[in-house]
């Protein structure tokens, strides 16, 4: 463990911050929500963190049972970091924190990683609009040098996501992240992006429309 000070406070919030309150810790968890990653993939997703700090956070998170090192098969392959069951319990915490933070004015100039983008989708997904139907949509991010495939599932009024591909999804939404983001967050219509050729839908386009219609960006505070 790193030489860090405890809050020495019995409150559950203080005890949680003793574990994941260090700088970059929760962002490491964010980058692992969709599945295991190699160290180099984590470093690429967190470019503002130095190798020394990132390595220390990973050691801290391993020591507290949030992250574990393991060996993954294809498509990742090799030694990877993955969330433990205890680490996965932080998913709803991050969704709630992201929903709260999304109401603040955005000043950062950086791009969202695939993991951060999908977390953002969960923060703006309206449970009332997700209720009563189910779907499986594959997001195919076609960014040069950082392609990604994510399975987005709607079930029981909840939007979930995991890295991977489906044999028979209801629809596949493909394009670069720069085109996906404005459509997902209501700044551009799906029809406009499809007509311009910036996005493609293979399968049931109405499922994609309904999914996008369940995303309600918050009003800034």
């Amino acid at each position: 463990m790193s030489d860090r000070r405890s809050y020495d406070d019995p409150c559950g919030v203080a005890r949680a911050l003793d574990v994941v309150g260090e700088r970059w810790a929760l962002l490491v968890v964010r980058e692992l929500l969709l599945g295991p990653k190699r160290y180099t993939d984590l470093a690429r997703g967190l470019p503002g963190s130095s190798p020394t700090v990132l390595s220390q956070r990973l050691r801290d998170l391993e020591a507290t049972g949030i992250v574990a090192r393991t060996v993954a098969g294809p498509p990742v392959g090799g030694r990877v970091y993955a969330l433990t069951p205890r680490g996965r319990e932080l998913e709803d915490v991050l969704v709630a924190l992201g929903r709260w933070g999304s109401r603040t004015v955005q000043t950062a100039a950086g791009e969202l990683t695939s993991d951060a983008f999908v977390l953002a989708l969960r923060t703006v997904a309206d449970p009332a609009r997700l209720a009563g139907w189910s779907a499986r949509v594959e997001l195919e991010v076609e960014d040069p040098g950082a392609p990604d495939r994510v399975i987005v599932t709607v079930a029981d009024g909840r939007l979930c996501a995991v890295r991977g591909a489906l044999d028979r999804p209801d629809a596949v939404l493909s394009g670069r992240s720069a085109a996906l983001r404005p459509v997902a967050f209501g700044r551009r219509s799906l029809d406009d992006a499809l007509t311009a050729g910036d996005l493609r839908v293979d399968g049931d386009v109405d499922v994609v429309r309904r999914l996008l219609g369940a995303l309600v960006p918050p009003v800034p505070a």
Side-chain angles (χ1 to χ4, degrees), residues 107-119:
T107 59
E111 296 290 339
L112 288 174
T113 64
S114 294
D115 304 76
F117 173 63
V118 173
L119 180 64

Side-chain angles (χ1 to χ4, degrees), residues 23-24 27 30 45 47-48 101-113 116 181 185 187:
R23 185 170 172 83
W24 298 104
L27 293 186
R30 180 198 73 188
S102 65
R103 297 178 61 218
T104 63
V105 177
Q106 179 177 322
T107 59
E111 296 290 339
L112 288 174
T113 64
R181 284 196 305 274
F185 301 135
R187 299 192 299 269

Side-chain angles (χ1 to χ4, degrees), residues 40-204:
T40 52
D41 297 324
L42 283 168
R44 184 170 60 246
L46 300 168
S49 175
S50 71
T52 300
V53 170
L54 178 56
S55 295
Q56 185 62 62
R57 288 296 85 77
L58 286 167
R59 286 194 293 269
D60 292 344
L61 291 169
E62 283 187 84
T64 52
I66 304 300
V67 168
R69 275 183 288 183
T70 184
V71 177
V76 179
R79 295 190 65 82
V80 296
Y81 293 90
L83 292 177
T84 64
R86 187 180 185 215
R88 291 216 62 87
E89 291 176 359
L90 288 166
E91 184 169 2
D92 286 343
V93 175
L94 284 176
V95 170
L97 188 60
R99 184 175 294 118
W100 183 84
S102 65
R103 297 178 61 218
T104 63
V105 177
Q106 179 177 322
T107 59
E111 296 290 339
L112 288 174
T113 64
S114 294
D115 304 76
F117 173 63
V118 173
L119 180 64
L121 295 183
R122 289 203 57 194
T123 67
V124 300
D126 181 358
R129 300 190 184 194
L130 295 174
W133 63 290
S134 61
R136 299 189 307 162
V137 175
E138 187 176 311
L139 285 180
E140 186 174 9
V141 182
E142 300 176 331
D143 291 358
D148 210 349
R149 300 174 78 95
V150 177
I151 301 166
V152 176
T153 303
V154 175
D156 300 322
R158 183 180 175 90
L159 188 151
C160 297
V162 65
R163 184 168 280 106
L166 291 167
D167 290 334
R168 299 182 65 181
D170 296 313
V172 179
L173 176 60
S174 307
R176 294 192 179 187
S177 58
L180 287 166
R181 284 196 305 274
V183 171
F185 301 135
R187 299 192 299 269
R188 185 184 185 189
S189 72
L190 175 63
D191 288 341
D192 181 67
L194 294 175
T195 300
D198 295 328
L199 295 180
R200 301 187 314 280
V201 173
D202 296 315
D204 192 340

